[in-house]
């Protein structure tokens, strides 16, 4: 993809950190944006800033990507208003640190629901329409350095980020013949501004 101008780009985790920075960078390129995050105030601020720098915000809604029904409702609304997206950017995520004796089952479940099932919900809701549209496009999944190698206190987090890495590697094969590229981003520590995702 040589230009983002007029491309419809979905960005999760857009209220802060990498998600906000990405949304604003795409806005400066003239992209049409679909933005989501759990944190409503930060999300609305991102939308306002994106409009000011030249982006067009097609949809902006706060919800938890771990909620499959909410993701599906958002996708249906986006498809009705803007058609299929050109770019899916799975950036939303949360972190919880601890050792095997200190992490509770609820911590593991929450990380799996948001960091792994969340991106899966997004992919299932948006990618089939991209395939059907036949225009190609791109998927970007944000994993982590902790999705490449183990780090102390990162067991639950790494489980989800290794999982997203595996999904991305398979999607490269599965989506290639549809003209849809797949990128995996594995950043180190990032100051996110405190947003959950």
């Amino acid at each position: 993809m040589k230009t983002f101008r007029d491309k419809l780009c979905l960005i999760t985790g857009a209220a802060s950190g990498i998600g906000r920075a990405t949304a604003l960078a795409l806005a400066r390129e003239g992209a049409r944006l679909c933005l989501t995050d759990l944190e409503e105030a930060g999300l609305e601020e991102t939308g306002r800033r994106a409009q000011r720098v030249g982006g067009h915000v097609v949809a902006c809604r706060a919800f938890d990507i771990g909620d499959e029904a909410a993701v599906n409702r958002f996708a249906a609304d986006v498809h009705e208003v803007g058609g299929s997206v050109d770019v899916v950017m799975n950036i939303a995520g949360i972190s919880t640190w601890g050792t095997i004796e200190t992490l509770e089952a609820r911590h593991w479940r929450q990380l799996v629901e948001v960091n792994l099932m969340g991106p899966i919900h997004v992919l299932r809701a948006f990618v089939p329409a991209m395939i059907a549209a036949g225009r190609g496009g791109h998927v970007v999944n944000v994993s982590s350095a902790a999705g490449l190698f183990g780090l102390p206190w990162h067991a639950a987090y790494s489980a989800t980020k290794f999982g997203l890495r595996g999904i991305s590697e398979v999607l490269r094969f599965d989506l290639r013949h549809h003209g849809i590229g797949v990128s995996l981003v594995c950043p180190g520590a990032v100051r996110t501004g405190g947003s959950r995702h």
Side-chain angles (χ1 to χ4, degrees), residues 129-151:
M130 294 172 68
I131 293 171
R135 297 193 311 271
H138 210 89
V139 170
V140 179
N141 290 325
V142 175
S143 175
S144 168
L148 298 174
F149 48 81
L151 295 166

Side-chain angles (χ1 to χ4, degrees), residues 2-14:
K2 300 186 185 304
T3 179
F4 289 103
R5 181 160 299 280
D6 296 324
K7 299 296 185 183
L8 187 59
C9 302
L10 168 71
I11 303 166
T12 72

Side-chain angles (χ1 to χ4, degrees), residues 30-41:
R32 296 183 299 137
L33 304 175
C34 302
L35 307 175
T36 185
D37 196 289
L38 185 66
E39 205 261 293
E40 189 169 11

Side-chain angles (χ1 to χ4, degrees), residues 68-81:
E68 183 180 13
V71 174
N72 289 338
R73 284 192 299 271
F74 185 62
D77 291 344
V78 167
H79 292 146
E80 183 176 347
V81 173

Side-chain angles (χ1 to χ4, degrees), residues 17-32:
I18 295 172
R20 172 176 281 177
T22 301
L24 296 180
L26 289 173
R28 291 184 191 99
E29 296 290 324
R32 296 183 299 137

Side-chain angles (χ1 to χ4, degrees), residues 2 7 11 14 23 25 27 36 72-73 85 88 97-98 100 102-103 110 121 127 144 154 170 173-174 177 180 187 196:
K2 300 186 185 304
K7 299 296 185 183
I11 303 166
T36 185
N72 289 338
R73 284 192 299 271
V85 301
V88 171
W97 319 121
I100 195 67
T102 60
L103 285 170
Q110 185 182 41
H121 297 328
V127 172
S144 168
H154 281 62
V170 172
F173 297 111
D174 292 351
H177 65 284
I180 299 172
R196 179 170 175 261

